[in-house]
Amino acid sequence: MAGHQNFDVLIVGAGFSGVYQLHNLRKAGFSVKVFEAGSELGGTWYWNRYPGARVDSDFSIYQLSIEELWRDWNWTEKFPGRQELIEYFKYVDKKLDLSRDISLNIRVTSASFDTTTNRWSVFTNTGVTVNPRHMVLCTGFASKPLFPDIPGLDTFQGIMHHTSSWPESGLDMTGKRVGVIGTGASGVQVIQEAGLVASHLTVFQRTPNTAVAMMNERPISVAMQTKMKEEMYPVLFKRRRQTFTGVHYDLLRPGKFYEMTPEERYLFLDDLWTKGGFHYWFGTFEDIFYDQTVNDEVYTFWRKKVLDRVRDPEMQRKLAPEKQLHPFGVKRVSLEQWYYEVFNQPNVALIDINENPIVEITPKGVKTGDGVMHEVDVLVLATGFDAVTGSISQIDIKGTDGVAIGDMWKKEGLSTYLGMTVTGYPNMFFPYGPHGPTGFCNGPTCGEVQSDWIIDCITYLREHNYSRIDATREASEAWVQRVTDIYNKGFWTRAKSWYTGANVPGKRLESLNFSGGLPLYTTLIDESAQGGYAGFTLTFGLDT
């Protein structure tokens, strides 16, 4: 691709949302191109290739709902690993003939909106410039890695990688001294794998992860999946749009906790635990996010399950403290397979950096406040991301007033309308991003719900000869207030997490996600569409 090109839609990113939109926008007759920074399709699954990388949603719902895809695809595990997801994207690409409209190894660096043509001018690291009518940012919520601000980090002479930039050729940790900073989702998965092969493993933990049992199944039979495709798959794909988190099970209604006897609740929680996955988080009582009594009981049950698997009292104290550090479930819960058993090994050390902080990184390892030098050969930075907003703000996107979107959000606070658009940045959309259900929703579900809305919107504009759509400031302010009000009703503010940007030093603390659940979110965005895209200013214009 060379020179300036005009077309209808540029999609940035080739993960689930990107390929879904490409397929459906082409079907609707639009000219579409996708720019992907990676060398393969897959979005987050291309970049996150660290040992143990695995999805935390059931295979049946962690895929696109396009029938021509699921009819002929079979999974090998209940919770597929990263490599299987890469193979899935290759299959999707071939099945839907996507590559002819996808440019790989091309990163969008900046974009500005031209008010005379009502088109975006989009610039890339390769020198290619394009001028689409609409720009859709399918950049996901975790594409800007966060590196810790630790003195001496650049002096380390061993092998050091952030989990999001693991070498494509892999890294053999067998027999090596490994240090892992961070115990979020990627940290849990890396720690499990390193514990199997490292000569010594040192884990640096700030906050214990309230991880729950994955209960993975492998292999899962083709016969079972064939049977599910006869009737179950269509039901699951419809059902996942009806639940709070876009999965096939849901939270129990408020008040249900108090209608059950203690024995009923115990058996209920035990059943959720046995089912595995996020059943114990998003299949439990909705009251856990609002009622401390309910939350305490759910945490106490979780803690007993962990203590049963960890032998050393000091490890128990660090991994599952008697007193919660934050309400259960309001900081991202992770799935684990043998995470807690790792800490029974004699060659594994767990450092609580609240009690014993990291002072500096040296050429040989990590020095802590007690003066101990923890020598390591491999240092893994499982330190997360500038989540949700960082994926967009890292691109220099200027709207009608010439202000970069990252600068605007930093100065004025996060603002969107419907969690898919931003006032002053016309003809720009984003699924699975700021103020959407993002952090609380199954990725493919959320991506499809929002992508369908975006596709319908762009189609409406074409049908009615509108060349420009921009959210009004009043509608945006009302949306921000709604997002904030819903968020403040729960316990979410009582945890330091990426849900509010608290993991990024200096970042404004605010709700980055819509926490009212997918059904309410869908109702609200549909109300706008059914009202002729209420809350937006639509502008007629010549097609240039």
Side-chain angles (χ1 to χ4, degrees), residues 125 175 206 256 310 344 347 414 435 471 483 499 502 532:
N125 63 332
R206 182 182 64 188
K256 184 66 175 176
V310 180
N344 291 327
N347 64 331
L414 177 59
H435 284 171
V483 169
Y499 290 158

Side-chain angles (χ1 to χ4, degrees), residues 18-93:
V19 300
Y20 182 85
Q21 289 207 36
L22 172 59
H23 174 65
N24 285 292
L25 283 167
R26 289 196 316 198
K27 284 177 62 177
F30 291 99
S31 54
V32 193
K33 298 295 179 184
V34 176
F35 285 177
E36 166 56 49
S39 58
E40 289 185 286
L41 277 62
T44 190
W45 297 109
Y46 168 77
W47 298 102
N48 287 280
R49 58 180 78 94
Y50 58 84
R54 182 176 301 279
V55 70
D56 49 20
S57 292
D58 188 298
F59 74 92
S60 60
I61 57 168
Y62 200 79
Q63 59 180 315
L64 295 173
S65 65
I66 301 170
E67 184 171 356
E68 61 187 292
L69 293 177
W70 57 256
R71 277 292 176 194
D72 298 325
W73 177 264
N74 291 298
W75 301 92
T76 64
E77 298 184 70
K78 184 177 181 180
F79 295 93
R82 182 259 178 186
Q83 189 54 45
E84 186 164 15
L85 285 157
I86 291 297
E87 294 303 319
Y88 174 72
F89 274 96
K90 290 179 180 178
Y91 162 79
V92 171
D93 181 15

Side-chain angles (χ1 to χ4, degrees), residues 465-506:
N465 197 32
Y466 291 115
S467 63
R468 177 170 164 179
I469 182 171
D470 194 6
T472 68
R473 189 162 300 279
E474 294 76 18
S476 175
E477 290 174 352
W479 180 257
V480 172
Q481 191 61 54
R482 183 190 292 270
V483 169
T484 302
D485 289 346
I486 294 173
Y487 193 82
N488 288 340
K489 288 179 180 178
F491 291 153
W492 308 104
T493 58
R494 290 167 57 182
K496 184 179 180 181
S497 82
W498 59 262
Y499 290 158
T500 60
N503 64 314
V504 182

Side-chain angles (χ1 to χ4, degrees), residues 179-386:
V180 179
I181 300 177
T183 55
S186 59
V188 167
Q189 292 180 330
V190 169
I191 289 164
Q192 289 181 144
E193 299 301 319
L196 296 176
V197 299
S199 63
H200 191 275
L201 171 64
T202 306
V203 176
F204 299 90
Q205 169 188 280
R206 182 182 64 188
T207 307
N209 194 319
T210 49
V212 297
M214 176 176 280
M215 302 297 185
N216 196 13
E217 297 174 22
R218 59 169 84 86
I220 51 175
S221 71
V222 172
M224 179 194 73
Q225 294 177 75
T226 300
K227 181 67 176 177
M228 290 179 69
K229 292 171 185 177
E230 294 176 5
E231 187 173 7
M232 184 63 73
Y233 265 29
V235 171
L236 291 174
F237 290 132
K238 290 180 180 178
R239 176 58 180 158
R240 73 181 188 178
R241 289 181 175 233
Q242 301 167 359
T243 66
F244 190 93
T245 56
V247 295
H248 55 291
Y249 47 87
D250 211 356
L251 292 161
L252 293 187
R253 60 174 173 76
K256 184 66 175 176
F257 175 90
Y258 295 101
E259 297 173 9
M260 300 169 69
T261 66
E263 294 75 20
E264 283 181 288
R265 295 198 298 266
Y266 180 92
L267 293 173
F268 172 67
L269 293 175
D270 191 66
D271 182 59
L272 293 179
W273 189 272
T274 302
K275 288 178 179 177
F278 285 144
H279 282 87
Y280 195 79
W281 185 21
F282 284 123
T284 187
F285 308 100
E286 185 175 341
D287 307 81
I288 66 167
F289 303 120
Y290 314 101
D291 188 318
Q292 192 62 57
T293 299
V294 179
N295 195 282
D296 285 344
E297 186 164 317
V298 172
Y299 177 80
T300 298
F301 187 95
W302 169 85
R303 181 170 181 266
K304 288 179 179 177
K305 288 291 188 181
V306 173
L307 296 185
D308 286 344
R309 296 166 57 189
V310 180
R311 295 193 295 264
D312 180 72
E314 183 64 8
M315 289 292 192
Q316 291 179 339
R317 182 185 70 83
K318 293 177 180 179
L319 293 168
E322 184 174 358
K323 183 179 179 180
Q324 296 193 65
L325 301 184
H326 56 77
F328 180 87
V330 300
K331 193 177 176 74
R332 177 65 154 79
V333 172
S334 299
L335 298 189
E336 57 82 26
Q337 298 180 81
W338 58 88
Y339 177 67
Y340 293 105
E341 283 74 12
V342 169
F343 296 96
N344 291 327
Q345 298 175 199
N347 64 331
V348 176
L350 176 60
I351 310 299
D352 183 336
I353 63 172
N354 297 295
E355 302 172 348
N356 189 16
I358 296 174
V359 174
E360 64 174 329
I361 306 296
T362 74
K364 293 185 177 182
V366 182
K367 185 178 181 180
T368 48
D370 58 3
V372 174
M373 170 59 65
H374 304 271
E375 294 191 3
V376 296
D377 305 307
V378 177
L379 186 58
V380 180
L381 304 178
T383 47
F385 300 85
D386 180 358

Side-chain angles (χ1 to χ4, degrees), residues 403-428:
V403 176
I405 195 167
D407 293 339
M408 186 267 289
W409 282 343
K410 185 176 183 179
K411 180 181 178 182
E412 302 177 11
L414 177 59
S415 62
T416 77
Y417 180 47
L418 304 182
M420 290 182 284
T421 66
V422 179
T423 302
Y425 298 80
N427 297 3
M428 184 183 82

